[in-house]
Amino acid sequence: MSQHVEIVEVGPRDGLQAWPKPIATSARIGLVERLREAGARRIEVGAFVAPDRVPRMADTADVMAATGSRERAGDMVLVANRRGLDQALENGARAIAVFTAASDAFALKNIGRTVDASLERFAPLVSAARAAGVFVRGYISTITDCPYTGEVPPEAVAPVARALRDMGCGEIALGETLGRATPRRIAAVIEAVSDHVPLEDVAAHFHDTYGLGVANVLEAVRMGIRTVDAAAGGLGGCPFAPGATGNVATEDVLYMLEGEGYETGLSMEKLLDAVAYCESGLGIAPVSRVYKARRGA
């Protein structure tokens, strides 16, 4: 398989959605601009979701307008319902993401319905998006662990991936929401999913709560996945996953991939400038190992 690994930068959405303090629109715009300068070709710029539940994403339309996201095929926004899809289309989005889980308990907390019910809700959204020429990603959260019910077996993940694929999602993102998994458990999920979805259409979306995010990414790449989500500075956390910390850091993933001989198209130095901006522009201290080592922290 190709030695290129595509890093999808999710910091502007997944990295900021749970931040407890207000974030200026200009600061979100500044982050997206710096990530573009670092070479990020795919960026999750925001979400069209209920602003009372996720207030940090309320200015997504403004961020899209200011950063040239309209009609950019590599920029993606999350949507939760038909209203969110309509907003995304009105603002020129060329890629959207819908989201479910492998655990009913988490799905009920996150989107207010079971996994099966969420799939029923998203099927017409995916159909409408595709009819409009929009690319659709399907997220599956809690692929190894649920904060409310414990371990999730791989055989619970595979049918959800198949259902998202069958309804028209062009990419399935496997979300290890709590950051508890080890490479062995990640491998078991990928193996189960690979029976239903080609690995070239699967993305790895891992968190780093227990410091195993980079190791898990390497295992996913070793197994054939070539799309990896990461957030500059290790930003992130889910408001509906108690105890989960940030996404695996883009700069840590980049360092590992380059060391293993993979090409990403990202500039480490410019990426570190974007990470520094997380602190100077957004007021959020980066937590990544590479950033601390390079900046002498």
Side-chain angles (χ1 to χ4, degrees), residues 93-256:
R94 302 313 307 156
I96 67 162
V98 296
F99 55 100
T100 185
S103 158
D104 279 332
F106 185 80
L108 284 165
K109 286 282 187 179
N110 194 23
I111 53 180
R113 55 189 63 202
T114 65
V115 173
D116 286 346
S118 70
L119 293 171
E120 291 177 6
R121 169 200 268 184
F122 288 129
L125 267 64
V126 174
S127 179
R130 292 192 61 187
V134 171
F135 178 83
V136 184
R137 162 186 274 204
Y139 275 111
I140 308 174
S141 299
T142 61
I143 62 164
T144 61
D145 297 273
C146 171
Y148 309 107
T149 59
E151 288 195 13
V152 175
E155 54 267 26
V157 183
V160 182
R162 177 60 181 268
L164 289 168
R165 175 78 171 181
D166 287 348
M167 74 172 65
C169 291
E171 183 173 77
I172 310 300
L174 302 177
E176 205 284 88
T177 310
L178 301 189
R180 294 178 182 173
T182 61
R184 177 185 61 83
R185 296 181 66 206
I186 291 295
V189 174
I190 293 172
E191 185 174 359
V193 169
S194 69
D195 290 336
H196 302 273
V197 181
L199 289 184
E200 58 264 31
D201 297 330
V202 176
H205 181 105
F206 301 153
H207 287 239
D208 203 31
T209 310
Y210 282 73
L212 290 170
V214 172
N216 289 338
V217 168
L218 181 57
E219 181 68 5
V221 172
R222 183 191 69 79
M223 294 189 71
I225 286 178
R226 290 295 180 268
T227 303
V228 175
D229 292 0
L235 304 182
C238 175
F240 308 106
T245 57
N247 293 274
V248 64
T250 310
E251 57 274 24
D252 290 353
V253 171
L254 177 59
Y255 180 84
M256 179 274 291

